[in-house]
Amino acid sequence: MKKKRTTERYTLADLDNWREATRSPRRLDPPIRLGVFGDPVAHSLSPQMQNAALRACKIDMQYARFHIRANELRSALSVLTELDFIGVNLTVPHKIAAANQIDDVDESARSLGAVNTIKIDNGKLRGFNTDGPGFSRAIREEFSVDLRDLRVMVLGAGGAGRAVAMQCAKESCERLVIVNRTFEKAKQLATELQDFFTGPKVFGPVPRLQVIGWEEAAIRFQIGNVDLIVNATPLGLNRADAAPIPARLLAPHVMVYDTIYGESRTPFVSAAIEAGARGANGLSMLLHQGALAFRIWFEREAPIDAMRRAL
Ligand code: NAP
């Protein structure tokens, strides 16, 4: 009989009544043992990427999408063990909330205060965060450089901005400039990171760790003193959005990485190209954070080529 694969979006009500939800009109084969929780979640590319990985490794399971609202997270997490799940990914708005709702959080997630991957291990829910390491691998893949050799400017100090900034700090980047619309949030993040920047890697007249407001003059000054600019704001999610930094402020020497992903160029990547600079969108970060999650779940390397093809 032909196998039934899932294309559906499940809910908390389905998890509460899992046998029924996955039986009608006929039993799902292979069974769902992994998924992503989010609200919204319909746009998530994780199912196509992770299902390709599972097929490539001949692991007889499926990865599904779960529309779980903020106030439903605790209930949704509580049933995963009895349903024999291997783990889940978390996306907006669950990453921060989950950190206090699971049994154990590893160092990567604790330092960020956010969890994007949960593994069920001997009945316990363990949390990890693969966004930062995924970002680091994406930069190496896109631009053939390591963060430790770069002067980085990050736009945004929310979940993604924190993951990017923390990773740059942990890898001892040359310099880090945090830019955020709400200045206080950027300052708070810099305070958390300052111990990483006390080393002797100082050159030039600019500080190694700096916070600036979202102002044209300040950004223009910094462009000459950074190599990589990362957009970690939602600016560009809508095609009609302007680039977070316009082409006229960019320069050919910078590399632009937009954590926003899509099939075509994001407004920021277009601005980079217009300025004669190199640009890449966030698909590579999505790929690598997913590959690292797969490694956590199955304790084996992810089939990265199959995952990349699926995206
Ligand atoms: P978040 O926690 O809500 O943070 C959003 C950040 O963007 C905040 O710093 C916010 O500034 C800033 N911001 C929002 N609207 C802005 C505007 N109109 N102008 C300037 N700044 C604005 O969201 P997040 O979880 O960090 O996600 C941000 C983006 O990262 C998402 O859109 C997603 O596409 C991307 N992302 C990609 C990956 C990947 O694998 N490629 C992974 C994670 C996230 P304030 O502090 O002033 O509010």
Side-chain angles (χ1 to χ4, degrees), residues 42 54 66 117 152 154 156 174 215 218 228 250 260 266 270 288 297 302:
L54 292 167
F66 293 85
T117 301
V152 185
V154 55
E174 297 274 9
E215 293 143 17
L228 172 69
L250 298 172
I260 296 199
T266 64
S270 296
H288 287 290
W297 293 325

Side-chain angles (χ1 to χ4, degrees), residues 43 91-92 95-96 116 130-131 134-135 155-163 179-186 214 231-237 241 244 257-261 281-290:
H43 67 285
T91 184
V92 177
K95 291 185 186 184
I96 293 172
N116 82 334
T130 63
D131 281 337
F135 162 74
L155 311 174
R162 286 180 62 83
V179 189
N180 196 46
R181 183 178 59 178
T182 308
F183 188 71
E184 281 308 312
K185 240 162 93 181
W214 195 290
N231 176 34
T233 76
L235 289 171
L237 272 182
D241 285 346
Y257 191 80
D258 198 344
T259 64
I260 296 199
Y261 52 79
N281 81 26
L283 265 187
S284 45
M285 178 171 168
L286 179 79
L287 169 70
H288 287 290
Q289 64 77 30

Side-chain angles (χ1 to χ4, degrees), residues 63 119 129 252 258 285 303:
Y63 179 112
K119 178 179 183 170
N129 200 307
D258 198 344
M285 178 171 168

Side-chain angles (χ1 to χ4, degrees), residues 89-284:
N89 285 130
L90 302 173
T91 184
V92 177
H94 301 310
K95 291 185 186 184
I96 293 172
N100 299 317
Q101 298 184 21
I102 55 181
D103 299 297
D104 184 26
V105 179
D106 94 324
E107 193 282 324
S108 64
R110 192 177 312 116
S111 54
L112 281 176
V115 170
N116 82 334
T117 301
I118 291 177
K119 178 179 183 170
I120 292 117
D121 193 6
N122 284 326
K124 297 251 186 281
L125 270 58
R126 303 202 186 288
F128 303 82
N129 200 307
T130 63
D131 281 337
F135 162 74
S136 174
R137 287 173 175 221
I139 294 302
R140 202 172 308 134
E141 177 179 301
E142 300 284 3
F143 303 117
S144 307
V145 282
D146 289 328
L147 291 177
R148 67 164 183 269
D149 295 323
L150 295 176
R151 300 167 299 168
V152 185
M153 178 192 280
V154 55
L155 311 174
R162 286 180 62 83
V164 165
M166 181 69 76
Q167 192 67 26
C168 290
K170 283 182 177 166
E171 294 194 24
S172 196
C173 68
E174 297 274 9
R175 187 164 188 248
L176 181 64
V177 181
I178 305 170
V179 189
N180 196 46
R181 183 178 59 178
T182 308
F183 188 71
E184 281 308 312
K185 240 162 93 181
K187 249 173 81 180
Q188 167 61 35
L189 177 55
T191 304
E192 291 174 43
L193 299 179
Q194 64 193 8
D195 287 351
F196 289 97
F197 291 91
T198 52
K201 234 179 175 178
V202 186
F203 63 88
V206 284
R208 273 193 75 199
L209 176 62
Q210 197 168 356
V211 177
I212 63 167
W214 195 290
E215 293 143 17
E216 181 165 330
I219 291 174
R220 184 194 295 277
F221 173 79
Q222 292 294 339
I223 297 288
N225 292 295
V226 298
D227 310 300
L228 172 69
I229 308 177
V230 184
N231 176 34
T233 76
L235 289 171
L237 272 182
N238 298 317
R239 291 276 128 218
D241 285 346
I245 299 180
R248 65 187 164 76
L249 293 185
L250 298 172
H253 76 274
V254 292
M255 294 165 266
V256 161
Y257 191 80
D258 198 344
T259 64
I260 296 199
Y261 52 79
E263 281 164 26
S264 54
R265 283 177 190 165
T266 64
F268 201 22
V269 171
S270 296
I273 289 165
E274 193 184 325
R278 286 183 288 166
N281 81 26
L283 265 187
S284 45

